[in-house]
């Protein structure tokens, strides 16, 4: 090998040794007064609400109005379902709205699902209301 090539290899080895050699540790300044990290407990388990009677779910004013004159033609109603419980699969609001729409189809005249509020709009009379 030529002298120039050996000198180049030697300089490269010296540069690598200096670059990979022991380094001085730099201390990073820490912010004073930081609070300690607080770990919160896991969220509580969500339980379904206790069952409620069907009569308690119907608005008392609407029930009184419909029972006062049961032969009256259909009245506009909104059937609202209970909110779905997690874990959610698919589109739970749409599923609840379609269930409400099915209830209206069975007990009155269904018009449209209202998936934003888990409900359906339609018409019903006192004969369609549960007793």
């Amino acid at each position: 090998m030529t002298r120039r090539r050996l000198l180049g290899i030697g300089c490269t080895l010296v540069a690598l040794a200096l670059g990979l050699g022991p380094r001085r540790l730099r201390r990073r300044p820490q912010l004073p007064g930081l609070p300690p990290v607080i770990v919160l407990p896991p969220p509580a388990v969500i339980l379904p609400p206790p069952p409620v009677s069907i009569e308690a779910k119907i608005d008392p004013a609407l029930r009184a109005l419909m029972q006062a004159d049961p032969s009256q033609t259909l009245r506009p109603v909104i059937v609202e379902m209970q909110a779905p419980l997690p874990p959610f699969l698919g589109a739970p609001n749409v599923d609840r709205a379609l269930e409400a729409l099915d209830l209206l189809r069975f007990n009155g005249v269904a018009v449209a699902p209202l998936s934003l509020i888990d409900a359906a709009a339609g018409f019903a009379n006192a004969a369609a209301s549960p007793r």
Side-chain angles (χ1 to χ4, degrees), residues 75-110:
R75 296 189 185 271
V77 295
I78 293 178
V79 175
E80 187 175 353
M81 304 295 280
Q82 286 182 325
L85 296 175
F88 302 124
L89 299 174
N93 292 355
V94 174
D95 294 340
R96 291 293 184 170
L98 293 177
E99 289 175 20
L101 197 67
D102 288 340
L103 283 174
L104 273 173
R105 281 188 190 124
F106 185 70
N107 295 314
V109 178

Coordinates of all heavy atoms in Angstrom, one line a residue, residues 75-110:
R75 N -102.3 10.8 16.9 CA -101.6 11.9 17.4 C -100.1 11.8 17.1 O -99.6 10.6 17.1 CB -101.8 12.1 18.9 CG -103.2 12.4 19.2 CD -103.3 12.7 20.7 NE -104.7 12.9 21.1 CZ -105.3 14.0 21.0 NH1 -104.8 15.1 20.6 NH2 -106.6 14.1 21.4
P76 N -99.4 12.9 16.8 CA -97.9 12.8 16.6 C -97.2 12.4 17.9 O -97.5 12.9 18.9 CB -97.5 14.1 16.1 CG -98.6 15.1 16.6 CD -99.9 14.2 16.7
V77 N -96.3 11.4 17.7 CA -95.5 11.0 18.9 C -94.0 10.8 18.5 O -93.7 10.6 17.3 CB -96.0 9.7 19.5 CG1 -97.4 9.9 20.1 CG2 -96.0 8.6 18.5
I78 N -93.1 10.8 19.4 CA -91.7 10.5 19.2 C -91.4 9.4 20.2 O -91.6 9.6 21.4 CB -90.8 11.7 19.4 CG1 -91.0 12.7 18.3 CG2 -89.3 11.2 19.4 CD1 -90.1 13.9 18.5
V79 N -91.0 8.2 19.7 CA -90.7 7.1 20.6 C -89.1 7.1 20.8 O -88.4 7.0 19.8 CB -91.1 5.7 19.9 CG1 -90.6 4.6 20.8 CG2 -92.6 5.7 19.8
E80 N -88.7 7.4 22.0 CA -87.3 7.5 22.3 C -86.8 6.2 23.0 O -87.5 5.8 24.0 CB -87.0 8.7 23.1 CG -85.5 8.9 23.3 CD -85.2 10.2 24.1 OE1 -86.2 11.0 24.3 OE2 -84.1 10.5 24.4
M81 N -85.7 5.6 22.6 CA -85.2 4.4 23.2 C -84.1 4.8 24.2 O -83.5 5.9 24.1 CB -84.6 3.5 22.1 CG -85.6 3.2 21.0 SD -86.9 2.2 21.5 CE -86.2 0.6 21.5
Q82 N -83.8 3.8 25.1 CA -82.7 4.0 26.0 C -81.4 4.0 25.3 O -81.2 3.3 24.3 CB -82.7 2.9 27.1 CG -83.8 3.1 28.1 CD -83.7 2.0 29.2 OE1 -83.3 0.9 28.9 NE2 -84.0 2.3 30.4
A83 N -80.4 4.8 25.8 CA -79.1 4.8 25.2 C -78.5 3.5 25.2 O -78.6 2.8 26.2 CB -78.3 5.9 25.8
P84 N -77.7 3.1 24.2 CA -77.0 1.8 24.2 C -75.9 1.8 25.2 O -75.3 2.8 25.5 CB -76.5 1.7 22.7 CG -76.4 3.1 22.2 CD -77.5 3.9 22.9
L85 N -75.6 0.6 25.7 CA -74.5 0.4 26.6 C -73.2 0.0 25.9 O -73.3 -0.7 24.9 CB -74.9 -0.6 27.7 CG -76.0 -0.3 28.6 CD1 -76.4 -1.4 29.5 CD2 -75.7 1.0 29.4
P86 N -72.1 0.5 26.4 CA -70.8 0.0 25.7 C -70.6 -1.5 26.0 O -71.1 -2.0 27.0 CB -69.7 0.9 26.4 CG -70.4 1.5 27.5 CD -71.9 1.4 27.4
P87 N -69.9 -2.2 25.2 CA -69.1 -1.8 24.0 C -70.0 -1.6 22.8 O -70.9 -2.4 22.6 CB -68.1 -2.9 23.8 CG -68.8 -4.1 24.4 CD -69.6 -3.6 25.5
F88 N -69.8 -0.6 22.0 CA -70.6 -0.3 20.9 C -70.1 -1.1 19.7 O -68.9 -1.1 19.4 CB -70.5 1.2 20.5 CG -71.0 2.1 21.7 CD1 -70.2 3.0 22.2 CD2 -72.2 1.9 22.2 CE1 -70.6 3.8 23.2 CE2 -72.7 2.7 23.3 CZ -71.9 3.7 23.8
L89 N -71.0 -1.7 19.0 CA -70.6 -2.4 17.7 C -71.5 -1.8 16.6 O -72.7 -1.7 16.7 CB -70.9 -3.9 17.9 CG -70.2 -4.7 19.0 CD1 -70.7 -6.1 19.1 CD2 -68.7 -4.7 18.7
G90 N -70.8 -1.5 15.5 CA -71.5 -1.0 14.4 C -72.0 0.4 14.6 O -71.2 1.3 15.1
A91 N -73.3 0.7 14.4 CA -73.9 2.0 14.5 C -75.0 1.9 15.6 O -76.2 1.7 15.2 CB -74.4 2.5 13.2
P92 N -74.7 2.0 16.9 CA -75.7 1.8 17.9 C -76.9 2.8 17.8 O -78.0 2.4 18.1 CB -74.9 1.9 19.2 CG -73.8 2.7 18.9 CD -73.4 2.4 17.4
N93 N -76.7 4.0 17.5 CA -77.8 5.0 17.4 C -78.7 4.6 16.3 O -79.9 4.8 16.5 CB -77.2 6.4 17.2 CG -76.5 6.9 18.4 OD1 -76.4 6.3 19.4 ND2 -75.8 8.1 18.3
V94 N -78.2 4.2 15.2 CA -79.1 3.8 14.1 C -79.9 2.6 14.4 O -81.1 2.5 14.1 CB -78.2 3.6 12.8 CG1 -79.1 3.0 11.7 CG2 -77.5 4.9 12.4
D95 N -79.2 1.6 15.1 CA -79.9 0.4 15.5 C -81.1 0.8 16.5 O -82.2 0.2 16.3 CB -79.0 -0.6 16.2 CG -77.9 -1.1 15.3 OD1 -78.2 -1.1 14.0 OD2 -76.9 -1.6 15.7
R96 N -80.8 1.7 17.4 CA -81.9 2.1 18.4 C -83.0 2.8 17.7 O -84.2 2.6 18.0 CB -81.3 3.0 19.5 CG -80.4 2.3 20.4 CD -81.2 1.2 21.2 NE -80.3 0.7 22.2 CZ -80.6 -0.1 23.2 NH1 -81.9 -0.4 23.3 NH2 -79.7 -0.6 24.0
A97 N -82.7 3.6 16.7 CA -83.7 4.4 15.9 C -84.6 3.4 15.1 O -85.8 3.6 15.0 CB -83.1 5.4 15.0
L98 N -84.0 2.4 14.5 CA -84.7 1.4 13.8 C -85.6 0.5 14.7 O -86.7 0.1 14.3 CB -83.8 0.5 12.9 CG -83.0 1.3 11.8 CD1 -82.1 0.4 11.1 CD2 -84.0 1.9 10.8
E99 N -85.1 0.2 15.9 CA -86.0 -0.5 16.8 C -87.2 0.4 17.2 O -88.3 -0.1 17.3 CB -85.2 -0.8 18.1 CG -84.2 -1.9 17.9 CD -83.3 -2.1 19.2 OE1 -83.8 -1.7 20.3 OE2 -82.2 -2.7 19.1
A100 N -87.0 1.7 17.4 CA -88.1 2.6 17.7 C -89.1 2.6 16.6 O -90.3 2.7 16.7 CB -87.6 3.9 18.1
L101 N -88.6 2.7 15.3 CA -89.4 2.7 14.1 C -90.2 1.4 14.0 O -91.4 1.5 13.7 CB -88.5 2.9 12.9 CG -89.2 3.3 11.6 CD1 -89.7 4.7 11.8 CD2 -88.2 3.3 10.5
D102 N -89.6 0.3 14.4 CA -90.4 -1.0 14.4 C -91.5 -1.0 15.4 O -92.6 -1.5 15.1 CB -89.5 -2.2 14.6 CG -88.5 -2.5 13.4 OD1 -88.9 -2.0 12.3 OD2 -87.5 -3.1 13.7
L103 N -91.3 -0.4 16.6 CA -92.3 -0.3 17.6 C -93.5 0.6 17.0 O -94.6 0.3 17.2 CB -91.8 0.3 18.9 CG -91.0 -0.6 19.8 CD1 -90.4 0.2 20.9 CD2 -91.9 -1.7 20.3
L104 N -93.1 1.7 16.4 CA -94.2 2.5 15.8 C -94.9 1.8 14.7 O -96.2 2.0 14.5 CB -93.6 3.8 15.3 CG -93.5 4.9 16.3 CD1 -92.7 6.1 15.8 CD2 -94.8 5.3 16.9
R105 N -94.2 1.0 13.9 CA -94.9 0.3 12.8 C -95.9 -0.7 13.4 O -97.0 -0.9 12.8 CB -93.9 -0.5 11.9 CG -93.2 0.4 11.0 CD -92.3 -0.5 10.0 NE -91.4 0.4 9.2 CZ -90.1 0.3 9.2 NH1 -89.5 -0.6 9.9 NH2 -89.4 1.2 8.5
F106 N -95.5 -1.3 14.5 CA -96.4 -2.3 15.1 C -97.6 -1.7 15.8 O -98.7 -2.3 15.8 CB -95.6 -3.2 16.1 CG -96.3 -4.3 16.7 CD1 -96.7 -5.4 15.9 CD2 -96.6 -4.3 18.0 CE1 -97.3 -6.5 16.5 CE2 -97.3 -5.3 18.6 CZ -97.7 -6.4 17.8
N107 N -97.4 -0.5 16.4 CA -98.4 0.1 17.3 C -99.0 1.4 16.7 O -99.7 2.1 17.4 CB -97.8 0.4 18.7 CG -97.5 -0.9 19.4 OD1 -98.2 -1.8 19.4 ND2 -96.3 -0.9 19.9
G108 N -98.7 1.8 15.5 CA -99.2 3.0 15.0 C -98.7 3.2 13.5 O -98.6 2.2 12.8
V109 N -98.4 4.4 13.2 CA -97.9 4.7 11.8 C -96.5 5.3 12.0 O -96.3 6.4 12.6 CB -98.8 5.7 11.1 CG1 -98.3 6.1 9.7 CG2 -100.2 5.2 11.0
A110 N -95.5 4.6 11.4 CA -94.1 5.1 11.5 C -93.9 6.1 10.4 O -94.4 5.9 9.3 CB -93.2 3.9 11.4

